[in-house]
């Protein structure tokens, strides 16, 4: 018999991250992590950071890191918000900016955390199906809504849209807050940050986890109008004023200032992605044109679930989604060239079976 107090517990289906194996000797290309280490400037910060500083609270406003981000993107510090990873930033944004009786809208195939947040915060939501080519149809987003969130590039499909798409989206949603999630934009996408000066209701979110190799630091940020940022700050400061720790502030700033290293590693990942895409297509796979640090692929005459399970037996971990419309697709993060060579070798072995 269920105890009465148990009826008051939250019941929710949580987000499920990529599988984390305890075996460290694997090719782990299932979580969209960066295969390269952070900037050498970050390593210097970690070596020189005094543990004595940890007795003190970090700067609640993380001004130095905000300033580095603002300078990089050509905005003001007042246009930058920071959080504990972009998931934290977007969760705050859902609470702060989506407070209408109308549903928040986003594509049916997209980041699977969005419906979790909607359920957690009791936000109504509605999906618009992407096309058979997995493209988002901007014309779907004309209807009145309580807010819009779209990843660009989208995940898990890897497809990116241009500024003309975002401009039209903004024209259709002048009465709603629009969030563009740019977690993967540095790998070939087009950033909408320049548009925040034109649209006060536009918020751009991003992360240090992907292109800056700092997934373990949990640094996320948003760029938007002073109006939106001030509301995000108010909500954040209502439950946790210190979302970014002292080490992360210094490491994030060092990473942001090392533009040369950042661009070099992004270029390497893009080159590896294009090479792997070409080789998989030669094997008969359909691979979408990726603007991210992963590829989305299928093969009509082959079970992607079986392939996923087979590769695990070879210590190669990719991502499979048991989701309608994409149940025969896999998502493959781009690792180092050596890792992707192992992946391709094992993949060829499976195809020839």
């Amino acid at each position: 018999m269920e105890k009465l107090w148990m009826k008051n517990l939250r019941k929710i289906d949580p987000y499920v991250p990529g599988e984390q194996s305890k075996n460290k000797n694997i090719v782990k290309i299932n979580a969209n992590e960066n295969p390269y280490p952070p900037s050498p400037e970050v390593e210097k910060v970690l070596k020189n950071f005094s543990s004595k500083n940890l007795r003190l609270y970090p700067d609640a406003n993380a001004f130095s890191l905000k300033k580095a981000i603002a300078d990089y993107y050509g905005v003001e510090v007042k246009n930058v918000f920071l959080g504990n990873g972009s998931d934290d930033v977007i969760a705050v944004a859902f609470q702060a900016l989506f407070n209408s009786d109308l549903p928040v809208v986003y594509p049916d195939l997209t980041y699977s955390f969005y419906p979790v947040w909607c359920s957690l915060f009791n936000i109504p939501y509605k999906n618009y199906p992407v096309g058979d080519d997995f493209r988002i149809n901007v014309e779907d987003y004309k209807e009145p809504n309580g807010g819009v969130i779209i990843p660009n590039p989208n995940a898990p499909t890897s497809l990116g849209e241009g500024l003309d798409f975002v401009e039209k989206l903004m024209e259709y949603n002048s009465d709603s807050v629009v969030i563009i999630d740019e977690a993967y934009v540095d790998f070939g996408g087009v950033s909408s940050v320049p548009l925040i000066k034109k649209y006060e209701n536009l918020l751009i979110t991003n992360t240090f986890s992907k292109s800056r190799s700092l997934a373990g630091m949990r640094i996320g940020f948003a760029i938007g109008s002073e109006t939106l940022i001030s509301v995000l700050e108010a909500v954040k400061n209502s439950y946790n004023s210190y979302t970014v720790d002292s080490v992360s502030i210094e490491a994030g700033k060092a990473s942001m200032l090392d533009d040369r290293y950042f661009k070099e590693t992004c270029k390497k990942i893009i080159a590896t992605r294009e090479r792997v895409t070409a080789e998989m297509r030669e094997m008969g796979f359909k691979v979408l044109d990726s603007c991210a640090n992963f590829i989305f692929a299928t093969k009509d005459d082959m079970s992607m679930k079986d392939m996923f399970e087979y590769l695990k037996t070879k210590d190669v971990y990719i991502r499979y989604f048991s989701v309608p419309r994409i149940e025969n697709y896999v998502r493959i993060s781009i690792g180092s060239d050596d890792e992707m060579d192992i992946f391709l070798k094992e993949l060829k072995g499976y195809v020839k079976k």
Side-chain angles (χ1 to χ4, degrees):
M1 181 177 177
E2 186 179 47
K3 297 181 176 65
L4 289 177
W5 59 265
M6 294 182 68
K7 294 181 179 179
N8 295 323
L9 303 182
R10 174 81 71 176
K11 296 177 177 64
I12 192 167
D13 293 324
Y15 170 77
V16 179
E19 184 175 357
Q20 302 292 318
S21 173
K22 293 181 180 179
N23 179 6
K24 300 301 180 183
N25 298 314
I26 63 171
V27 175
K28 187 175 182 289
I29 48 175
N30 67 341
N32 296 347
E33 295 156 321
N34 197 309
Y36 300 106
S39 160
E41 298 303 313
V42 172
E43 187 172 356
K44 291 179 184 177
V45 166
L46 299 179
K47 285 182 177 179
N48 296 325
F49 191 89
S50 174
S51 60
K52 294 178 181 179
N53 293 329
L54 294 179
R55 70 183 181 84
L56 302 172
Y57 282 112
D59 173 11
N61 291 316
F63 179 83
S64 63
L65 179 52
K66 284 184 179 178
K67 180 70 164 57
I69 294 170
D71 288 348
Y72 187 85
Y73 287 97
V75 298
E76 301 294 326
V77 172
K78 64 185 179 183
N79 300 123
V80 179
F81 175 81
L82 287 172
N84 189 229
S86 63
D87 286 341
D88 180 46
V89 171
I90 299 172
V92 172
F94 269 55
Q95 296 175 78
L97 309 178
F98 293 159
N99 288 287
S100 168
D101 293 332
L102 295 173
V104 167
V105 294
Y106 52 85
D108 64 334
L109 297 179
T110 194
Y111 189 28
S112 56
F113 226 140
Y114 298 159
V116 175
W117 286 317
C118 286
S119 297
L120 182 63
F121 304 133
N122 295 314
I123 298 171
Y125 65 94
K126 179 179 180 180
N127 299 141
Y128 292 114
V130 297
D132 292 339
D133 59 356
F134 297 127
R135 288 287 179 186
I136 299 168
N137 182 7
V138 72
E139 299 300 322
D140 290 334
Y141 295 82
K142 284 183 173 180
E143 298 179 11
N145 58 66
V148 180
I149 183 164
I150 290 178
N152 188 31
N154 195 11
T157 65
S158 79
L159 298 175
E161 305 293 344
L163 287 182
D164 55 340
F165 173 95
V166 179
E167 289 259 31
K168 185 163 285 190
L169 184 68
M170 298 309 299
E171 290 172 14
Y172 292 159
N173 292 278
S174 59
D175 295 325
S176 302
V177 173
V178 176
I179 301 176
I180 303 296
D181 181 353
E182 295 190 351
Y184 303 102
V185 75
D186 297 319
F187 301 103
V190 179
S191 178
S192 297
V193 168
L195 297 181
I196 69 158
K197 295 176 181 178
K198 183 176 180 180
Y199 301 104
E200 190 178 15
N201 58 325
L202 174 63
L203 187 76
I204 310 300
T205 62
N206 207 326
T207 177
F208 280 61
S209 297
K210 314 302 181 185
S211 56
R212 295 188 181 274
S213 306
L214 287 173
M217 279 289 180
R218 312 306 302 129
I219 308 170
F221 63 97
I223 298 177
S225 66
E226 186 177 4
T227 300
L228 294 183
I229 298 301
S230 64
V231 177
L232 294 177
E233 295 285 359
V235 171
K236 182 202 76 163
N237 290 331
S238 297
Y239 72 92
N240 183 6
S241 296
Y242 303 100
T243 54
V244 183
D245 65 69
S246 300
V247 181
S248 295
I249 289 172
E250 295 304 316
K253 181 174 68 173
S255 173
M256 186 59 69
L257 294 176
D258 193 353
D259 193 45
R260 179 191 60 80
Y261 183 83
F262 162 71
K263 288 178 177 174
E264 282 180 359
T265 52
C266 287
K267 186 177 179 180
K268 286 180 185 177
I269 290 168
I270 292 169
T272 304
R273 180 190 73 203
E274 296 308 297
R275 176 175 69 86
V276 172
T277 296
E279 292 200 37
M280 288 186 68
R281 285 173 175 169
E282 287 180 5
M283 283 185 264
F285 284 86
K286 175 185 175 183
V287 184
L288 275 62
D289 293 327
S290 175
C291 290
N293 66 336
F294 60 88
I295 55 179
F296 199 55
T298 189
K299 199 169 187 294
D300 291 338
D301 59 351
M302 189 172 290
S303 166
M304 294 296 99
K305 187 176 187 298
D306 291 347
M307 187 183 85
F308 159 77
E309 297 289 355
Y310 171 84
L311 289 173
K312 279 176 63 175
T313 68
K314 301 297 182 180
D315 291 330
V316 177
Y317 283 61
I318 61 175
R319 190 79 190 264
Y320 171 75
F321 299 91
S322 182
V323 175
R325 299 188 70 194
I326 58 171
E327 64 272 8
N328 204 45
Y329 280 78
V330 288
R331 191 194 70 192
I332 303 147
S333 304
I334 302 302
S336 66
D337 281 316
D338 287 344
E339 289 174 322
M340 301 314 292
D341 285 343
I342 294 171
F343 161 72
L344 288 169
K345 175 179 174 291
E346 299 298 347
L347 184 63
K348 289 174 183 176
Y350 181 76
V351 170
K352 291 177 180 178
K353 284 178 61 180

